[in-house]
Amino acid sequence: MSTAELHTLTGAYALHALPDTELRDFERHLADCEACTQEVRELSATAARLGLAVAETPPREMRDRVLREITTVRQEAPAHGRPERTGGSGRTGRWYAYALAACVAAAAAFGGVAVWQNQVAQDARQEADRAQRQSEELAQVISAPDAKTSSGELTGGAHGTVVVSQSRNRAVFLASGMERPPSGKVYQLWFNDAGTMRSAGLMDPKASDDAVLLDGPVDRASGMGITVEPTGGSAEPTSSPVALMDFPTA
């Protein structure tokens, strides 16, 4: 296998998808190729992050609030000896009324918590499904037989790698060591279509290391750019690019 061909196996190696023969050849190549070593390190870290599940825990203050409100319902101890029948208007009647009110309040409150928890669980499942789909799409691009990579240094000493698969017509951007954008701002990715910038999605503003499946097909784009935009992104770039990268050529 030629050196040029070995350079294209970083994604498949990171995902443990190489057959034994190619695995041995690539590991010998890896010992002498710093560029491939760096790409494997980034792709392996990305694969590990993609395996993390998304989950949410109901806030403790919900349970505490319910229990606190229950304690505000007045309860009187039952009279000693044989209860006096008062038709519900005396001491015993009041105690039963208060106890019933407390039970109803508790049932209503905990019923509300159950409904809320069920909604949280459904939202978490939907988010997990979305993350799973994105993980699969990222893996398909990275491990595609025709996947090619290009790496470079970004602003502030960060490092970026772009992986392009023409057969899947998709691209993935991997970043490590990026500074967080200013408050109220986000990094937005762009396809470079012969000088015209086409939005390709947003990066996580809280992550210095991130893996993003660029939003949309590669088509005839020759590269990508990154700008700092208001939270939510912009229809077109509103600032100078903090990075420009060419897509790898065939």
Side-chain angles (χ1 to χ4, degrees):
M1 181 173 291
S2 68
T3 300
E5 291 174 321
L6 288 169
H7 281 308
T8 68
L9 300 181
T10 52
Y13 179 79
L15 295 176
H16 308 285
L18 290 178
D20 291 341
T21 303
E22 293 184 357
L23 177 63
R24 289 192 294 270
D25 290 344
F26 183 76
E27 287 184 336
R28 284 194 294 268
H29 168 76
L30 199 61
D32 299 320
C33 182
E34 180 59 30
C36 285
T37 299
Q38 175 67 25
E39 288 179 8
V40 166
R41 187 180 300 118
E42 293 174 351
L43 293 172
S44 296
T46 299
R49 288 196 300 273
L50 292 175
L52 297 177
V54 178
E56 293 186 37
T57 302
R60 178 177 175 79
E61 55 266 24
M62 173 68 76
R63 177 178 179 275
D64 292 342
R65 181 174 64 82
V66 171
L67 295 177
R68 184 171 60 252
E69 291 181 358
I70 289 175
T71 62
T72 64
V73 179
R74 181 184 176 189
Q75 298 186 23
E76 295 186 18
H80 293 291
R82 185 173 181 176
E84 177 185 356
R85 294 188 179 275
T86 61
S89 59
R91 184 182 182 85
T92 304
R94 288 197 302 274
W95 184 86
Y96 280 119
Y98 287 134
L100 179 60
C103 290
V104 171
F110 283 110
V113 171
V115 171
W116 178 81
Q117 288 178 331
N118 183 63
Q119 183 60 51
V120 169
Q122 289 181 351
D123 292 345
R125 283 194 295 270
Q126 291 174 356
E127 180 64 19
D129 289 343
R130 185 198 65 78
Q132 177 66 25
R133 288 193 298 272
Q134 185 182 51
S135 298
E136 292 173 354
E137 291 175 350
L138 276 165
Q140 289 169 356
V141 174
I142 291 172
S143 62
D146 66 336
K148 292 181 172 57
T149 63
S150 177
S151 300
E153 297 298 321
L154 307 180
T155 302
H159 187 85
T161 297
V162 60
V163 184
V164 178
S165 168
Q166 293 296 339
S167 64
R168 305 201 67 86
N169 200 21
R170 300 300 298 271
V172 169
F173 176 67
L174 311 170
S176 61
M178 290 194 70
E179 297 180 354
R180 290 191 177 184
S183 177
K185 300 288 185 177
V186 67
Y187 289 120
Q188 186 164 355
L189 307 177
W190 306 88
F191 285 111
N192 183 357
D193 293 332
T196 300
M197 306 307 280
R198 168 168 52 99
S199 180
L202 306 176
M203 297 182 65
D204 183 350
K206 297 180 181 179
S208 59
D209 300 337
D210 201 6
V212 183
L213 178 70
L214 271 62
D215 186 12
V218 173
D219 289 341
R220 297 183 180 180
S222 60
M224 57 164 288
I226 309 173
T227 60
V228 178
E229 303 294 336
T231 298
S234 303
E236 57 185 31
T238 63
S239 65
S240 300
V242 298
L244 291 171
M245 296 184 65
D246 291 331
F247 284 163
T249 57

PDB file of all heavy atoms in Angstrom, residues 31-55:
ATOM      1  N   ALA A  31       4.073   5.158  13.077  1.00  0.00           N
ATOM      2  CA  ALA A  31       5.264   5.370  13.896  1.00  0.00           C
ATOM      3  C   ALA A  31       6.181   6.445  13.319  1.00  0.00           C
ATOM      4  O   ALA A  31       6.969   7.064  14.052  1.00  0.00           O
ATOM      5  CB  ALA A  31       6.030   4.058  14.035  1.00  0.00           C
ATOM      6  N   ASP A  32       6.064   6.713  12.005  1.00  0.00           N
ATOM      7  CA  ASP A  32       6.954   7.687  11.353  1.00  0.00           C
ATOM      8  C   ASP A  32       6.230   8.912  10.816  1.00  0.00           C
ATOM      9  O   ASP A  32       6.863   9.765  10.180  1.00  0.00           O
ATOM     10  CB  ASP A  32       7.693   7.010  10.183  1.00  0.00           C
ATOM     11  CG  ASP A  32       8.558   5.852  10.642  1.00  0.00           C
ATOM     12  OD1 ASP A  32       9.191   5.982  11.711  1.00  0.00           O
ATOM     13  OD2 ASP A  32       8.582   4.819   9.950  1.00  0.00           O
ATOM     14  N   CYS A  33       4.892   9.010  11.038  1.00  0.00           N
ATOM     15  CA  CYS A  33       4.120  10.106  10.445  1.00  0.00           C
ATOM     16  C   CYS A  33       3.440  10.925  11.541  1.00  0.00           C
ATOM     17  O   CYS A  33       2.420  10.496  12.106  1.00  0.00           O
ATOM     18  CB  CYS A  33       3.080   9.567   9.462  1.00  0.00           C
ATOM     19  SG  CYS A  33       2.112  10.873   8.646  1.00  0.00           S
ATOM     20  N   GLU A  34       3.991  12.077  11.844  1.00  0.00           N
ATOM     21  CA  GLU A  34       3.443  12.930  12.905  1.00  0.00           C
ATOM     22  C   GLU A  34       2.072  13.476  12.528  1.00  0.00           C
ATOM     23  O   GLU A  34       1.189  13.615  13.380  1.00  0.00           O
ATOM     24  CB  GLU A  34       4.400  14.091  13.176  1.00  0.00           C
ATOM     25  CG  GLU A  34       3.923  15.053  14.267  1.00  0.00           C
ATOM     26  CD  GLU A  34       3.707  14.364  15.603  1.00  0.00           C
ATOM     27  OE1 GLU A  34       4.414  13.369  15.882  1.00  0.00           O
ATOM     28  OE2 GLU A  34       2.811  14.801  16.353  1.00  0.00           O
ATOM     29  N   ALA A  35       1.858  13.786  11.235  1.00  0.00           N
ATOM     30  CA  ALA A  35       0.568  14.333  10.803  1.00  0.00           C
ATOM     31  C   ALA A  35      -0.552  13.320  11.039  1.00  0.00           C
ATOM     32  O   ALA A  35      -1.623  13.659  11.553  1.00  0.00           O
ATOM     33  CB  ALA A  35       0.626  14.732   9.330  1.00  0.00           C
ATOM     34  N   CYS A  36      -0.315  12.070  10.666  1.00  0.00           N
ATOM     35  CA  CYS A  36      -1.337  11.039  10.875  1.00  0.00           C
ATOM     36  C   CYS A  36      -1.547  10.768  12.361  1.00  0.00           C
ATOM     37  O   CYS A  36      -2.669  10.508  12.804  1.00  0.00           O
ATOM     38  CB  CYS A  36      -0.954   9.748  10.158  1.00  0.00           C
ATOM     39  SG  CYS A  36      -1.178   9.815   8.355  1.00  0.00           S
ATOM     40  N   THR A  37      -0.457  10.834  13.131  1.00  0.00           N
ATOM     41  CA  THR A  37      -0.578  10.635  14.580  1.00  0.00           C
ATOM     42  C   THR A  37      -1.492  11.677  15.195  1.00  0.00           C
ATOM     43  O   THR A  37      -2.348  11.369  16.035  1.00  0.00           O
ATOM     44  CB  THR A  37       0.808  10.695  15.240  1.00  0.00           C
ATOM     45  OG1 THR A  37       1.641   9.655  14.708  1.00  0.00           O
ATOM     46  CG2 THR A  37       0.700  10.522  16.752  1.00  0.00           C
ATOM     47  N   GLN A  38      -1.334  12.933  14.768  1.00  0.00           N
ATOM     48  CA  GLN A  38      -2.168  14.016  15.283  1.00  0.00           C
ATOM     49  C   GLN A  38      -3.624  13.811  14.876  1.00  0.00           C
ATOM     50  O   GLN A  38      -4.546  13.979  15.693  1.00  0.00           O
ATOM     51  CB  GLN A  38      -1.663  15.365  14.760  1.00  0.00           C
ATOM     52  CG  GLN A  38      -2.517  16.570  15.132  1.00  0.00           C
ATOM     53  CD  GLN A  38      -2.495  16.872  16.619  1.00  0.00           C
ATOM     54  OE1 GLN A  38      -1.538  16.521  17.304  1.00  0.00           O
ATOM     55  NE2 GLN A  38      -3.542  17.513  17.119  1.00  0.00           N
ATOM     56  N   GLU A  39      -3.851  13.426  13.635  1.00  0.00           N
ATOM     57  CA  GLU A  39      -5.220  13.226  13.172  1.00  0.00           C
ATOM     58  C   GLU A  39      -5.888  12.055  13.884  1.00  0.00           C
ATOM     59  O   GLU A  39      -7.061  12.131  14.271  1.00  0.00           O
ATOM     60  CB  GLU A  39      -5.234  12.997  11.651  1.00  0.00           C
ATOM     61  CG  GLU A  39      -4.941  14.262  10.860  1.00  0.00           C
ATOM     62  CD  GLU A  39      -4.935  14.007   9.369  1.00  0.00           C
ATOM     63  OE1 GLU A  39      -5.308  12.888   8.966  1.00  0.00           O
ATOM     64  OE2 GLU A  39      -4.540  14.913   8.605  1.00  0.00           O
ATOM     65  N   VAL A  40      -5.153  10.979  14.093  1.00  0.00           N
ATOM     66  CA  VAL A  40      -5.705   9.827  14.816  1.00  0.00           C
ATOM     67  C   VAL A  40      -6.059  10.221  16.238  1.00  0.00           C
ATOM     68  O   VAL A  40      -7.106   9.828  16.770  1.00  0.00           O
ATOM     69  CB  VAL A  40      -4.703   8.651  14.811  1.00  0.00           C
ATOM     70  CG1 VAL A  40      -5.109   7.596  15.837  1.00  0.00           C
ATOM     71  CG2 VAL A  40      -4.625   8.031  13.425  1.00  0.00           C
ATOM     72  N   ARG A  41      -5.198  11.026  16.879  1.00  0.00           N
ATOM     73  CA  ARG A  41      -5.461  11.474  18.245  1.00  0.00           C
ATOM     74  C   ARG A  41      -6.767  12.273  18.297  1.00  0.00           C
ATOM     75  O   ARG A  41      -7.610  12.068  19.180  1.00  0.00           O
ATOM     76  CB  ARG A  41      -4.295  12.325  18.744  1.00  0.00           C
ATOM     77  CG  ARG A  41      -4.391  12.703  20.224  1.00  0.00           C
ATOM     78  CD  ARG A  41      -3.206  13.557  20.645  1.00  0.00           C
ATOM     79  NE  ARG A  41      -1.951  12.843  20.446  1.00  0.00           N
ATOM     80  CZ  ARG A  41      -0.974  13.233  19.623  1.00  0.00           C
ATOM     81  NH1 ARG A  41      -1.127  14.337  18.903  1.00  0.00           N
ATOM     82  NH2 ARG A  41       0.125  12.532  19.509  1.00  0.00           N
ATOM     83  N   GLU A  42      -6.964  13.172  17.352  1.00  0.00           N
ATOM     84  CA  GLU A  42      -8.168  14.003  17.337  1.00  0.00           C
ATOM     85  C   GLU A  42      -9.415  13.171  17.002  1.00  0.00           C
ATOM     86  O   GLU A  42     -10.469  13.330  17.622  1.00  0.00           O
ATOM     87  CB  GLU A  42      -8.012  15.132  16.318  1.00  0.00           C
ATOM     88  CG  GLU A  42      -6.949  16.144  16.702  1.00  0.00           C
ATOM     89  CD  GLU A  42      -6.709  17.164  15.607  1.00  0.00           C
ATOM     90  OE1 GLU A  42      -7.247  16.975  14.502  1.00  0.00           O
ATOM     91  OE2 GLU A  42      -5.973  18.133  15.852  1.00  0.00           O
ATOM     92  N   LEU A  43      -9.285  12.288  16.013  1.00  0.00           N
ATOM     93  CA  LEU A  43     -10.433  11.479  15.618  1.00  0.00           C
ATOM     94  C   LEU A  43     -10.830  10.498  16.718  1.00  0.00           C
ATOM     95  O   LEU A  43     -12.015  10.247  16.941  1.00  0.00           O
ATOM     96  CB  LEU A  43     -10.120  10.722  14.327  1.00  0.00           C
ATOM     97  CG  LEU A  43      -9.933  11.588  13.072  1.00  0.00           C
ATOM     98  CD1 LEU A  43      -9.436  10.732  11.912  1.00  0.00           C
ATOM     99  CD2 LEU A  43     -11.224  12.291  12.697  1.00  0.00           C
ATOM    100  N   SER A  44      -9.858   9.953  17.426  1.00  0.00           N
ATOM    101  CA  SER A  44     -10.164   9.027  18.520  1.00  0.00           C
ATOM    102  C   SER A  44     -10.879   9.753  19.649  1.00  0.00           C
ATOM    103  O   SER A  44     -11.839   9.233  20.234  1.00  0.00           O
ATOM    104  CB  SER A  44      -8.873   8.387  19.042  1.00  0.00           C
ATOM    105  OG  SER A  44      -8.254   7.596  18.040  1.00  0.00           O
ATOM    106  N   ALA A  45     -10.409  10.977  19.957  1.00  0.00           N
ATOM    107  CA  ALA A  45     -11.076  11.758  21.006  1.00  0.00           C
ATOM    108  C   ALA A  45     -12.500  12.097  20.601  1.00  0.00           C
ATOM    109  O   ALA A  45     -13.428  12.072  21.418  1.00  0.00           O
ATOM    110  CB  ALA A  45     -10.276  13.033  21.281  1.00  0.00           C
ATOM    111  N   THR A  46     -12.677  12.397  19.327  1.00  0.00           N
ATOM    112  CA  THR A  46     -14.024  12.708  18.831  1.00  0.00           C
ATOM    113  C   THR A  46     -14.939  11.498  18.931  1.00  0.00           C
ATOM    114  O   THR A  46     -16.086  11.595  19.375  1.00  0.00           O
ATOM    115  CB  THR A  46     -13.952  13.175  17.369  1.00  0.00           C
ATOM    116  OG1 THR A  46     -13.165  14.358  17.305  1.00  0.00           O
ATOM    117  CG2 THR A  46     -15.345  13.461  16.824  1.00  0.00           C
ATOM    118  N   ALA A  47     -14.434  10.332  18.544  1.00  0.00           N
ATOM    119  CA  ALA A  47     -15.240   9.112  18.613  1.00  0.00           C
ATOM    120  C   ALA A  47     -15.656   8.813  20.046  1.00  0.00           C
ATOM    121  O   ALA A  47     -16.781   8.380  20.307  1.00  0.00           O
ATOM    122  CB  ALA A  47     -14.457   7.938  18.034  1.00  0.00           C
ATOM    123  N   ALA A  48     -14.749   9.079  20.999  1.00  0.00           N
ATOM    124  CA  ALA A  48     -15.085   8.851  22.406  1.00  0.00           C
ATOM    125  C   ALA A  48     -16.184   9.785  22.875  1.00  0.00           C
ATOM    126  O   ALA A  48     -17.111   9.381  23.578  1.00  0.00           O
ATOM    127  CB  ALA A  48     -13.837   9.019  23.266  1.00  0.00           C
ATOM    128  N   ARG A  49     -16.107  11.062  22.456  1.00  0.00           N
ATOM    129  CA  ARG A  49     -17.135  12.032  22.881  1.00  0.00           C
ATOM    130  C   ARG A  49     -18.487  11.684  22.272  1.00  0.00           C
ATOM    131  O   ARG A  49     -19.527  11.882  22.901  1.00  0.00           O
ATOM    132  CB  ARG A  49     -16.722  13.446  22.461  1.00  0.00           C
ATOM    133  CG  ARG A  49     -15.568  14.013  23.267  1.00  0.00           C
ATOM    134  CD  ARG A  49     -15.464  15.524  23.070  1.00  0.00           C
ATOM    135  NE  ARG A  49     -15.234  15.883  21.694  1.00  0.00           N
ATOM    136  CZ  ARG A  49     -14.032  15.966  21.131  1.00  0.00           C
ATOM    137  NH1 ARG A  49     -12.959  15.673  21.829  1.00  0.00           N
ATOM    138  NH2 ARG A  49     -13.899  16.324  19.865  1.00  0.00           N
ATOM    139  N   LEU A  50     -18.475  11.182  21.051  1.00  0.00           N
ATOM    140  CA  LEU A  50     -19.743  10.857  20.391  1.00  0.00           C
ATOM    141  C   LEU A  50     -20.460   9.695  21.073  1.00  0.00           C
ATOM    142  O   LEU A  50     -21.664   9.523  20.906  1.00  0.00           O
ATOM    143  CB  LEU A  50     -19.492  10.501  18.915  1.00  0.00           C
ATOM    144  CG  LEU A  50     -19.018  11.663  18.043  1.00  0.00           C
ATOM    145  CD1 LEU A  50     -18.697  11.150  16.642  1.00  0.00           C
ATOM    146  CD2 LEU A  50     -20.049  12.760  17.982  1.00  0.00           C
ATOM    147  N   GLY A  51     -19.740   8.896  21.834  1.00  0.00           N
ATOM    148  CA  GLY A  51     -20.366   7.777  22.510  1.00  0.00           C
ATOM    149  C   GLY A  51     -21.048   8.138  23.812  1.00  0.00           C
ATOM    150  O   GLY A  51     -21.687   7.293  24.433  1.00  0.00           O
ATOM    151  N   LEU A  52     -20.885   9.389  24.249  1.00  0.00           N
ATOM    152  CA  LEU A  52     -21.488   9.794  25.518  1.00  0.00           C
ATOM    153  C   LEU A  52     -22.987   9.989  25.345  1.00  0.00           C
ATOM    154  O   LEU A  52     -23.444  10.602  24.390  1.00  0.00           O
ATOM    155  CB  LEU A  52     -20.854  11.105  26.013  1.00  0.00           C
ATOM    156  CG  LEU A  52     -19.352  11.030  26.321  1.00  0.00           C
ATOM    157  CD1 LEU A  52     -18.835  12.396  26.735  1.00  0.00           C
ATOM    158  CD2 LEU A  52     -19.080  10.014  27.418  1.00  0.00           C
ATOM    159  N   ALA A  53     -23.758   9.472  26.277  1.00  0.00           N
ATOM    160  CA  ALA A  53     -25.222   9.616  26.231  1.00  0.00           C
ATOM    161  C   ALA A  53     -25.625  10.961  26.799  1.00  0.00           C
ATOM    162  O   ALA A  53     -24.919  11.556  27.606  1.00  0.00           O
ATOM    163  CB  ALA A  53     -25.878   8.493  27.030  1.00  0.00           C
ATOM    164  N   VAL A  54     -26.789  11.437  26.372  1.00  0.00           N
ATOM    165  CA  VAL A  54     -27.346  12.684  26.875  1.00  0.00           C
ATOM    166  C   VAL A  54     -28.436  12.355  27.878  1.00  0.00           C
ATOM    167  O   VAL A  54     -29.325  11.571  27.590  1.00  0.00           O
ATOM    168  CB  VAL A  54     -27.941  13.526  25.732  1.00  0.00           C
ATOM    169  CG1 VAL A  54     -28.562  14.801  26.268  1.00  0.00           C
ATOM    170  CG2 VAL A  54     -26.858  13.850  24.708  1.00  0.00           C
ATOM    171  N   ALA A  55     -28.358  12.915  29.062  1.00  0.00           N
ATOM    172  CA  ALA A  55     -29.358  12.644  30.098  1.00  0.00           C
ATOM    173  C   ALA A  55     -29.587  13.883  30.936  1.00  0.00           C
ATOM    174  O   ALA A  55     -28.725  14.747  31.042  1.00  0.00           O
ATOM    175  CB  ALA A  55     -28.893  11.491  30.986  1.00  0.00           C
TER     176      ALA A  55
END
